[in-house]
Amino acid sequence: MKFNTKTIHGGQKHDLAYGAVMPPIYQTSTYAQSTPGGHKGYEYSRTHNPTRNALENAFASIENGNYGLAFGSGLAAIDAVLKLLKPGDEVISTNDLYGGSYRLFTRIYKDFGIKFHFVGMDNASKIENYINGNTKLIWVETPTNPMMNIIDIKSVGEIAKRRNVLLAVDNTFATPYLQRPLDLGADIVMHSATKYIGGHSDLVMGALIVKDKDLADSLYFIQNASGAVCGPQDSFLALRGIKTLHVRMQRHCENGKAVAEYLANHPKIEKVYWPGFENHPNHDIAKSQMDDFGGMVSFVAKGNNYDEAIKIVENLKVFTLAESLGGVESLAGHPASMTHSSIPKEEREKTGVVDSLIRLSVGIEDIDDLIADLEKAIR
Ligand SMILES: Cc1ncc(COP(=O)(O)O)c(C=O)c1O
């Protein structure tokens, strides 16, 4: 099955009871048993739920994995991966990443005895300097949030395999429409399904997808034992979202490109971060590992001025000033005070997340309205 067909049919079975084309929302916590242990495959909804299972099968299908797991948020999914580790283990992570991931690593897991190295992975070989006998996990975001840095998944995967370390890729920005990390050598793909997968800004959810059975079993154990699962209503909404992922992503990419090019040619704009530009760092890698460049664009206005940046985001009307990304509607964010405020200023600025940086999640509205909105706000 090709990708566009998989988004609609991948891992799905028609409902056995009445032939419902969409999986029913099994809004139940428990399941009748004829005798202890005598059930139809479902005992309790933290462990399994038919609607969530349908979604988990869809996750596995679109990422070319064998096993999918759904969680109550993207961070709950990341948390489950970190629970594979033991005190004394070490993690090498991209140094530019979602602020909440950084907070989970440094404010929770560091205190449990896990050591984190935050490394600029513009060249994969830099990782080698940080790998030792305790290294158990490499955490990669690509494109990174919000600087749109590109990391070579295949090269990192080769190092991870050679050194017997797990590689997890946060594929939230790219989605499997653009990039399939398991095919490039990653062991785990993670999503904030809150974003493009759900696609309509109406749910909070996380996903993990793997190929390996033992790894899947360990993660299923953690999912059930820790219990950060999502409910059947949200599972249904995410499944519905996946069915239009390919059509939405196509328009996100078209509009993202138009907005990036408009900003790059604007006399009042200093710098635009979008991996489709030929001079974007690692553009060639983006071109080889992604099928297009997505709908996320970050930029800094001339003068690099905090007040100017705030004025721009306040004056936008079609773009909504809000946290999050990946919905059909365009959003604008100010990473330093919003999504990345949990990263100390000195750390943030080392990777380019300055106080004047604005991040856009370009939606699927009419491009003329989006450009006109930006033009008014910037002028
Ligand atoms: C790249 C990335 N990873 C992970 C997360 C966390 O996901 P959630 O908000 O669903 O917990 C986010 C949220 O913005 C994100 O942008």
Side-chain angles (χ1 to χ4, degrees), residues 73-76 78 98 101 141 145 170 172-173 190-195 204-206 324-325 339 359:
S73 71
L75 278 171
I78 302 173
Y98 171 58
S101 310
E141 240 182 69
N145 179 1
D170 182 336
T172 299
F173 267 36
M190 175 264 154
H191 279 279
S192 168
T194 315
K195 312 297 175 350
V204 174
M205 184 184 287
S324 204
L325 60 107
T339 46
R359 190 193 73 183

Side-chain angles (χ1 to χ4, degrees), residues 55-319:
L55 171 66
E56 291 175 326
N57 292 339
F59 282 152
S61 169
I62 57 175
E63 280 288 3
N64 294 343
N66 296 323
Y67 307 94
L69 297 96
F71 293 85
S73 71
L75 278 171
I78 302 173
D79 184 73
V81 175
L82 293 173
K83 284 185 173 132
L84 294 167
L85 308 178
K86 305 262 176 310
D89 287 350
E90 298 189 15
V91 179
I92 303 172
S93 165
T94 35
N95 64 347
D96 172 38
L97 78 167
Y98 171 58
S101 310
Y102 180 88
R103 181 178 53 202
L104 179 67
F105 294 172
T106 57
R107 302 277 300 277
I108 307 255
Y109 278 95
K110 196 167 148 231
D111 290 347
F112 289 154
I114 312 282
K115 188 168 176 187
F116 293 88
H117 304 273
F118 294 96
V119 178
M121 297 188 188
D122 49 309
N123 186 333
S125 64
K126 285 187 185 169
I127 294 169
E128 300 264 20
N129 301 332
Y130 296 87
I131 297 187
N132 61 45
N134 296 326
T135 313
K136 293 289 159 20
L137 175 69
I138 300 174
W139 187 265
V140 163
E141 240 182 69
T142 181
T144 60
N145 179 1
M147 300 309 295
M148 312 301 296
N149 288 315
I150 300 295
I151 288 109
D152 184 344
I153 300 172
K154 201 160 173 232
S155 299
V156 177
E158 281 163 10
I159 296 170
K161 205 125 286 152
R162 184 158 34 80
R163 305 296 291 266
N164 203 20
V165 175
L166 284 176
L167 169 61
V169 175
D170 182 336
N171 205 27
T172 299
F173 267 36
T175 82
Y177 176 77
L178 299 178
Q179 172 175 280
R180 288 148 310 270
L182 295 178
D183 292 350
L184 297 167
D187 300 290
I188 302 173
V189 170
M190 175 264 154
H191 279 279
S192 168
T194 315
K195 312 297 175 350
Y196 288 107
I197 298 270
H200 297 76
S201 303
D202 52 10
L203 58 89
V204 174
M205 184 184 287
L208 297 177
I209 302 103
V210 301
K211 279 191 165 164
D212 181 76
K213 168 125 187 18
D214 290 344
L215 184 54
D217 285 345
S218 301
L219 290 166
Y220 281 131
F221 177 80
I222 293 167
Q223 183 194 39
N224 182 49
S226 290
V229 293
C230 54
Q233 288 272 356
D234 282 354
S235 299
F236 177 88
L237 285 174
L239 256 173
R240 186 163 71 162
I242 288 173
K243 287 178 193 289
T244 56
L245 178 65
H246 53 303
V247 219
R248 287 184 285 108
M249 285 309 293
Q250 194 180 350
R251 181 66 74 85
H252 281 297
C253 290
E254 284 167 20
N255 283 359
K257 178 175 194 284
V259 165
E261 286 174 350
Y262 154 79
L263 290 170
N265 289 314
H266 200 290
K268 289 195 157 195
I269 300 303
E270 177 75 37
K271 182 97 186 96
V272 184
Y273 301 90
W274 178 67
F277 290 132
E278 278 184 16
N279 62 357
H280 187 84
N282 282 346
H283 167 74
D284 287 347
I285 294 166
K287 236 171 113 178
S288 70
Q289 71 185 15
M290 299 171 74
D291 295 327
D292 205 334
F293 303 108
M296 297 301 298
V297 181
S298 297
F299 70 99
V300 172
K302 279 213 168 105
N304 193 14
N305 181 312
Y306 169 82
D307 294 331
E308 282 287 311
I310 298 299
K311 242 191 272 167
I312 292 173
V313 292
E314 283 176 353
N315 284 334
L316 288 164
K317 296 282 181 290
V318 182
F319 282 83

